[in-house]
Structures are given as C-alpha cells and as structure tokens.
C-alpha cells in the first residue's frame, strides 16, 4: 500500500537495466512455499519465501518471514531493502544493531528483528536497511524478519542449517495437513492449492477465515471499494468453511463453529443484529493501488454498506441443502448446531 510511504521488505535479483532477466513465480508443490525464479544470461537464481507454522493455537505476537536466496547456475547479484512502516506509515521507528548480522526496528508496541546469514552485510540507510551480495552456483543466503511484542526476547542466532530445518518443518506441515483431503480426481493439484489458500486465510486462534489477504486494492481503479479485506465477513467465511468441509477438513469447521458461537453468545451488535457483518476505518494518510484513496481498514461499522448488502435469510434454502441445490453430505453437521440461533434480518 502506497509505494512512496508504505513499507516493504524486498529481496530480489538485481541486474543493471534488467540484463534480459525473466522472472517466474510458482509454489513448491502442495505447500505454501513461494518460489520466485530469476533467469538471466549470466545465471539463474531464486528466492524461496515462507512463514514458519506455529504449533499452538494461542494468539502470539511472534511471527517469522523467512527468505532464502540461492543460485543454481552461474552467479546472480541480489539486493535487499527493508523499510518497515509502523501503524500504516503514521508512526516513526528507530533502528538499532543487535549483532553483526542482526538489526532491530522498534515501533510503537512492536519490534521487528531483521537477521541475515554470513555473506549478507546489512547496512543502515537512515532508519532502514539495505544489502547487496552476489551468490554463485550451489551457494545460498537467508534473511529472516521476525515480529515480536515490544521488549520481547530477540530470536535466536540465524544459520543456514536452522533455515533448512525451518523449511523442512514448513513443508512437512503442509503435506501432513493435506492428508485430510478426501478429494481424489483429475484436478488434484488445483484443489490442493485452493485448500491451502483457504487455510492461509484462516486465523488459527479463532478458526475464522478472513475475506482476502489484501489491503488497498480497489475492486475497480478509481472506485470507492478500496477496502481492507483482512477481516472476517461472516457470510463469506461460511462459504469458505463449507468448501473445506466438502474436502474433508473437519477441524477447521469445528474451530469456526466455536468462534461463531462465541460471537453470538457475546451479545448483539450495536445495530441489534446477532452478528456484525463487516467493519472499517479510513486511513486518509495513505494511498492504495494506483493511488486510490482513502483506504478503509479496521473495526468500525459500515452501516450504509450493510443496509445495501444484507445477506439472505439463513432459512432461504431447503434445510439440508447447499447453494447448488444438492443435498449436503453428513460432514456438514459440523456447522448445523448453531443454526437455530442465527438471525440475519
């Protein structure tokens, strides 16, 4: 969001004037590990991006983004730029050094720890970080960005061996999770990718899927629907969970049911409805994609939208049937116990 004032952490091959470089992206099969491949006359390299899965379902402020650069042919120059912007670019931060290959960005209530392996020299650029390094065939380097609550313990020393273990842990997690999928058919790869995407959109402590992982991307350039979609729309989330149920992922359905029941038992919303449908807050200081603004985000009721977009009543279809009209399988029972208490309008 906002290419000038928004933050980013970029690690990519860097050639003067492009040097005929071609960039391709793909996922490591049946995982959420993203591979960005850089192909140039002088060499072929790639960057693998992944987040380390968290074992516990308890909320945590600690999250790790791991980025691994490696070269498979020739030599490739890489450039790293880390420019965090706290509170959507509205809060300043400070930079301090915590080691030869580690730096600390300190913002309001949050610390960001940037670490690199040997061969990647971090340099200060004001309160930001840059680095440039070249790898040859068979060599690799890594950088890790870890978020923690302000003042929490710094992450342990970074090593390539530790990064390799984290990558294998991430890969094993996704392969193990996909074993619950009951779909067997010609579209297996596409179905697996869709299921992984829905899982990535689900907040583990509550089981609630968010609408999308985007913020500041308008539905149409210049339009007003420039929302922060990183929140849960109850109707949309229900459809996502239904898709997971149909694929055999029962645990996600039970988690969403628990979260939804807790929201209902917490009492009615300000409008009198049993559930909120969406929330927003405006960020007037920033621009979204193609300078669209303002950017709505956060938990504030958007009553006009709700009045126009109320979902259909829960009993608008025959009991026991889904949107397609086909009878639900017995697995749908994971979400039926809350139906008598749900009222939309």
């Amino acid at each position: 969001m906002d290419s000038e004032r928004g933050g980013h952490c970029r690690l990519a091959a860097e050639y003067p004037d492009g040097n005929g470089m071609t960039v391709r992206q793909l996922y490591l099969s049946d995982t959420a590990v993203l591979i960005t491949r850089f192909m140039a006359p002088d060499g072929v390299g790639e960057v693998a991006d992944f987040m380390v899965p968290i074992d516990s379902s308890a909320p945590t402020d600690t999250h790790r983004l791991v980025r691994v650069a490696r070269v498979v042919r020739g030599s490739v120059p890489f450039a790293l730029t880390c420019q965090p912007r706290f509170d959507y670019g509205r809060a300043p931060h400070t930079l301090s050094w915590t080691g030869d290959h580690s730096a600390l960005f300190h913002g309001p209530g949050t610390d960001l720890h940037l670490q690199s392996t040997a061969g990647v020299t971090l340099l200060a650029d004001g309160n930001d970080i840059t680095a440039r390094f070249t790898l040859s065939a068979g060599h690799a380097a890594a950088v890790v960005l870890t978020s923690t609550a302000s003042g929490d313990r710094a992450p342990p020393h970074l090593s390539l061996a530790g990064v390799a273990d984290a990558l294998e842990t991430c890969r094993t997690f996704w392969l193990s999770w996909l074993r619950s999928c009951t779909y067997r058919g010609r579209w297996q790869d596409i179905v697996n990718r869709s299921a992984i995407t829905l899982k990535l959109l689900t907040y583990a402590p509550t089981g609630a899927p968010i609408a999308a992982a985007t913020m500041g991307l308008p539905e149409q350039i210049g339009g007003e629907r420039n929302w922060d979609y990183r929140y849960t729309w109850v109707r949309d989330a229900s459809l996502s969970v239904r898709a997971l149920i149909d694929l055999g992922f029962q645990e996600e359905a039970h988690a969403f049911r628990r979260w939804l029941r807790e929201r209902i038992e917490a009492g009615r919303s300000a409008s009198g409805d049993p559930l909120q449908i969406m929330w927003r807050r405006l960020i007037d200081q920033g621009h979204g994609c193609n300078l669209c603004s303002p950017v709505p985000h956060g938990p504030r009721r958007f009553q006009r939208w709700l009045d126009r977009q109320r979902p259909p009543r829960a009993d608008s279809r025959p009991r026991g049937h889904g949107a397609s009209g086909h009878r639900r399988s017995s697995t749908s029972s994971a979400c039926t116990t809350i139906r008598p208490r749900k009222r939309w309008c």
Side-chain angles (χ1 to χ4, degrees):
M1 186 184 76
D2 200 320
S3 59
E4 294 183 3
R5 290 178 291 178
H8 67 269
C9 180
R10 180 180 185 271
L11 175 61
E14 186 176 75
Y15 285 100
D17 301 323
N19 193 31
M21 181 175 65
T22 301
V23 181
R24 294 287 184 269
Q25 286 190 309
L26 66 152
Y27 283 101
L28 190 62
S29 180
D30 287 343
T31 75
V33 179
L34 177 65
I35 306 295
T36 304
R37 192 158 289 162
F38 306 94
M39 296 167 285
D42 296 338
V44 175
E46 62 185 25
V47 173
D49 293 314
F50 65 95
M51 295 190 72
V52 180
I54 299 173
D55 294 333
S56 173
S57 61
T60 178
D61 293 311
T62 302
H63 304 278
R64 299 177 67 204
L65 171 63
V66 183
R67 316 199 70 179
V68 185
R70 74 184 190 102
V71 173
V72 297
R73 179 179 65 80
S75 63
V76 178
F78 290 91
L80 166 70
T81 305
C82 188
Q83 300 178 351
R85 296 296 180 262
F86 292 83
D87 192 23
Y88 302 94
R90 296 178 294 187
H93 68 273
T94 60
L95 171 66
S96 60
W97 297 96
T98 56
D100 293 337
H101 292 278
S102 58
L104 169 63
F105 302 99
H106 178 67
T110 303
D111 289 341
L112 287 178
H113 300 265
L114 181 66
Q115 300 170 284
S116 66
T117 55
V120 181
T121 302
L122 304 179
L123 301 174
D125 181 11
N127 282 333
D128 301 324
I129 291 291
T130 62
R132 282 176 170 77
F133 58 97
T134 299
L135 297 176
S136 56
H139 290 81
V143 295
V144 176
L145 188 63
T146 305
S147 68
T148 66
S150 182
D152 276 6
R153 185 191 319 176
H157 173 74
L158 183 65
S159 67
L160 279 176
V163 169
D165 290 342
L167 177 58
E168 184 59 27
T169 297
C170 181
R171 177 177 173 275
T172 301
F173 170 85
W174 288 110
L175 294 178
S176 176
W177 182 76
L178 278 176
R179 292 194 187 103
S180 297
C181 183
T182 56
Y183 174 83
R184 299 292 182 270
R186 63 182 296 188
W187 312 112
Q188 192 72 56
D189 290 344
I190 297 174
V191 170
N192 287 353
R193 178 57 47 202
S194 298
I196 289 173
T197 301
L198 291 178
K199 179 68 171 176
L200 287 170
L201 292 173
T202 302
Y203 183 51
T206 64
I210 63 174
T214 58
M215 177 182 177
L217 294 178
E219 294 186 12
Q220 61 185 90
I221 300 301
E224 65 172 10
R225 292 187 175 182
N226 192 24
W227 317 131
D228 180 353
Y229 284 101
R230 299 170 301 166
Y231 291 85
T232 297
W233 273 247
V234 175
R235 177 179 56 180
D236 296 22
S238 300
L239 296 174
S240 298
V241 171
R242 169 65 194 277
L244 289 173
I245 291 175
D246 289 345
L247 293 176
F249 297 102
Q250 297 293 307
E251 181 180 344
E252 286 68 25
H254 289 300
F256 179 69
R257 182 188 64 180
R258 288 192 296 270
W259 175 81
L260 195 57
R261 182 183 294 277
E262 289 170 357
R263 302 287 71 73
I264 295 174
E265 292 176 346
R268 293 184 178 275
S269 63
S271 67
D273 290 328
L275 293 171
Q276 296 248 124
I277 301 302
M278 69 168 293
W279 300 259
R280 79 164 189 173
R281 184 170 67 204
L282 296 180
I283 304 176
D284 293 326
Q285 292 91 335
H287 293 286
C289 177
N290 284 18
L291 300 182
C292 293
S293 62
V295 178
H297 87 105
R300 181 180 295 175
R301 183 65 175 227
F302 188 16
Q303 188 63 48
R304 286 190 306 154
W305 187 94
L306 177 61
D307 291 341
R308 296 197 307 265
Q309 307 272 346
R310 283 184 183 274
R313 296 182 63 90
D315 57 357
S316 60
R317 290 191 295 269
R319 184 178 298 275
H321 289 72
S324 64
H326 298 296
R327 185 157 189 86
R328 292 179 181 171
S329 65
S330 59
T331 58
S332 297
S333 62
C335 287
T336 57
T337 59
I338 61 171
R339 183 176 296 156
R341 303 189 63 181
K342 189 187 298 183
R343 182 178 68 84
W344 292 107
C345 51

